[in-house]
Amino acid sequence: MEDTTGSNPQSLGFTEKLKSWLSWSWTYVCFIWFGMVLIMIYVLWSPLKLQETLTSASVFLNTLTPKFYVALTGTSSLISGLILIFEWWYFRKYGTSFIEQVSVSHLRPLLGGVESSSTTGLFSSVNGEAEPRPSVSECKVWRNPLNLFRGAEYNRYTWVTGKEPLTYYDMNLSAQDHQTFFTGDTQQLRPEDAVMQKAWRERNPQARIRAAYQAIEMNHECAAAYVLLAEEEATTITEAERLFKKALSIAGKDVNLLVYIKRRLAMCARKLGRIKEAVKMMRDLMKEFPLLGMLNIHENLLEALLELQAYADVQAVLAKYDDISLPKSATICYTSALLKARAVSDKFSPEAASRRGLSTAEMNAVEAIHRAVEFNPHVPKYLLEMKSLILPPEHILKRGDSEAVAYAFFHLQHWKRAEGALNLLHCTWEGTFRIIPYPLEKGHLFYPYPGCTETADRELLPSFHEVSVYPKKELPFFILFTAGLCSFTAMLAMLTHQFPELMGVFAKAFFSTLFAPLGFFADKMESFMPSSFWHQLTRI
């Protein structure tokens, strides 16, 4: 075993050396091959009677009618048009060119290109130093702290519009969360726990509800079953609150159940207008379980405090959680921007600011907006109502469109309440993109914007929603190339049909000019080399 493992590095080293040698030599192989082709053509010019072949080919081309050229150029235009349509469809669906993807996947390793996985290991930080890029955390999907109730909110939307607001991928993530959160020790599963574990996996809502009732029949104190009924069967927030209170009374000492139920009860109180009660419940929950900061209960607290217009308390929460060592979110960044904008927005005027310049407070507000927009550039279009809102998903991707939808859905009213805040946002948010380096190989205040958000957001958001993409993708080269080729060949077909004689003269002049360098090269080679050398070479 030791000999085998010891020989692996040697074999790998040989493979890498061979690959690097091939990559190095590939640059010169093309030139050598081209030169060899020219030499072979010249050497075989007489034995293969290439002169006579070219003469007969030119005679054949001269006998072709203009209809042939019209058919040729028309067919070329049709084929390039079909390729263009396919490339455009593929780009719209997958965000990349099919030809480019195949080229990169299969030809790039042969040409010595660097694997894409190796280029994502390092990135430049704000100060220019190389640091490991946290690609996993960038594209991690998080539970939406303010996710709605399925029975009382999501289902009502479906009844009214006939559209499903949640994707199967999103609901499947929730099922995994519930299984992990409520199952506990799998070695000591009770019969009702096994039923509930299966219930969370059911795709059909009615099947989940039936399984919950089955678990209650087995044990009337199955708290997880009441949680499922509160989430999915209750058609009003009041009914959901009643079921959650029932679950809380029988939850026992299960920490996961207690945290989940108390949080949802606080959200019920917030939705029913008992905001001060909701704030107290959230504060108590954060004090009772201080180590569960990953659940982002502070984001629920911030939204409730904004509804109370308790801006001093909001600032106190931000001072604790808007820390450089803690992960950021759109709620943290945009709430900080809202507080600073609120202090100056009621008297802000773009015309006056352009004349006298920005004051210190206005500059702080603009910088806070730029910081928030850099973190999530999708949010302003929803806050400014340039894009229509939908119901937020149950999971979000930080810095993605899903997070922007979730934030704007709950916080748009708070921005509207602060006089002039949206006007200040409207005047300044686009200035962020002049600060961020482009291409986005570096960030300004945060890590470079991740490239995985579009794919994950398309999985999280319903198909009827147009996903916001940042940065806007430029059309791939091959789409532009096929579009140009299609247009050019179509133009040739039309001109050949309209002016056959003139286009024939043009084609002959074009090809004679194209092959003129080859004839010039052949004449120079013949005059440079002695005739006896070529005679002996042709005999060989």
Side-chain angles (χ1 to χ4, degrees), residues 81 84 106 114 132 151 167 211-212 224-225 244 246 273 279 332 344 347 366 406 421 501 539:
L84 173 62
H106 299 284
V114 183
T167 63
F244 275 123
K246 172 67 175 176
V279 168
I332 293 291
V344 298
K347 299 178 181 178
V366 171
E501 292 80 7
R539 290 185 61 185

Side-chain angles (χ1 to χ4, degrees), residues 171-185:
M171 292 189 289
N172 187 48
L173 290 176
S174 297
Q176 295 175 16
D177 292 342
H178 292 145
Q179 278 185 275
T180 305
F181 214 62
F182 299 140
T183 299
D185 188 4

Side-chain angles (χ1 to χ4, degrees), residues 180-429:
T180 305
F181 214 62
F182 299 140
T183 299
D185 188 4
T186 56
Q187 301 296 327
Q188 300 179 356
L189 281 181
R190 298 171 297 179
E192 61 271 20
D193 294 331
V195 172
M196 288 305 302
Q197 192 175 32
K198 182 181 177 182
W200 297 120
R201 294 197 301 265
E202 289 286 352
R203 186 170 182 177
N204 189 330
Q206 296 303 319
R208 291 195 293 270
I209 292 172
R210 286 195 299 270
Y213 277 115
Q214 182 183 351
I216 292 174
E217 290 177 2
M218 294 180 176
N219 183 359
H220 291 289
E221 296 188 352
C222 181
Y226 286 102
V227 169
L228 189 148
L229 294 178
E231 291 285 354
E232 305 219 16
E233 189 187 37
T235 57
T236 63
I237 301 298
T238 303
E239 185 180 355
E241 184 181 39
R242 179 183 63 80
L243 289 169
F244 275 123
K245 287 182 177 179
K246 172 67 175 176
L248 181 62
S249 65
I250 58 177
K253 297 182 180 180
D254 191 325
V255 175
N256 290 342
L257 266 175
L258 288 174
V259 172
Y260 186 90
I261 294 171
K262 288 183 177 181
R263 180 181 193 165
R264 296 304 261 177
L265 281 172
M267 294 175 69
C268 287
R270 163 68 183 91
K271 292 175 184 293
L272 294 173
R274 305 195 307 270
I275 304 171
K276 291 184 178 180
E277 178 185 344
V279 168
K280 183 179 183 305
M281 294 173 69
M282 292 173 192
R283 289 189 186 278
D284 292 342
L285 188 58
M286 293 168 66
K287 289 179 182 178
E288 187 177 357
F289 304 101
L291 299 179
L292 295 179
M294 60 181 178
L295 297 178
N296 297 323
I297 302 174
H298 59 275
E299 295 194 11
N300 299 81
L301 179 60
L302 283 173
E303 196 280 326
L305 290 173
L306 286 172
E307 182 64 22
L308 288 176
Q309 301 184 46
Y311 297 110
D313 293 335
V314 172
Q315 185 60 57
V317 176
L318 287 177
K320 181 178 180 181
Y321 289 96
D322 193 6
D323 186 84
I324 192 171
S325 62
L326 297 176
K328 298 292 181 290
S329 67
T331 300
I332 293 291
C333 295
Y334 277 90
T335 301
S336 177
L338 173 60
L339 291 189
K340 292 180 180 178
R342 175 181 166 273
V344 298
S345 59
D346 57 336
K347 299 178 181 178
F348 177 78
S349 171
E351 295 78 11
S354 62
R355 288 196 306 269
R356 59 173 170 78
L358 295 175
S359 64
T360 303
E362 289 173 338
M363 183 63 71
N364 291 336
V366 171
E367 289 177 354
I369 289 175
H370 287 174
R371 171 178 179 262
V373 174
E374 181 182 351
F375 182 83
N376 193 317
H378 310 284
V379 172
K381 289 189 176 181
Y382 294 106
L383 293 179
L384 298 172
E385 300 182 89
M386 300 166 65
K387 285 193 69 175
S388 58
L389 273 173
I390 59 171
L391 295 186
E394 293 183 336
H395 290 81
I396 59 173
L397 183 69
K398 288 192 175 182
R399 306 186 76 177
D401 191 34
S402 51
E403 184 191 36
V405 169
Y407 172 80
F409 184 85
F410 293 100
H411 289 262
L412 176 58
Q413 57 181 332
H414 307 314
W415 279 82
K416 286 184 175 180
R417 188 179 294 122
E419 183 182 354
L422 289 175
N423 178 48
L424 180 60
L425 177 68
H426 174 73
C427 295
T428 58
W429 74 280

Side-chain angles (χ1 to χ4, degrees), residues 94-137:
Y94 299 105
T96 185
S97 164
F98 175 78
I99 301 176
E100 182 179 343
Q101 185 180 25
V102 172
S103 302
V104 170
S105 301
H106 299 284
L107 299 181
R108 192 176 188 182
L110 298 176
L111 296 175
V114 183
E115 297 291 336
S116 59
S117 60
S118 64
T119 61
T120 57
L122 295 175
F123 76 101
S124 298
S125 62
V126 176
N127 57 9
E129 298 177 356
E131 299 178 3
R133 181 169 183 168
S135 57
V136 176
S137 62

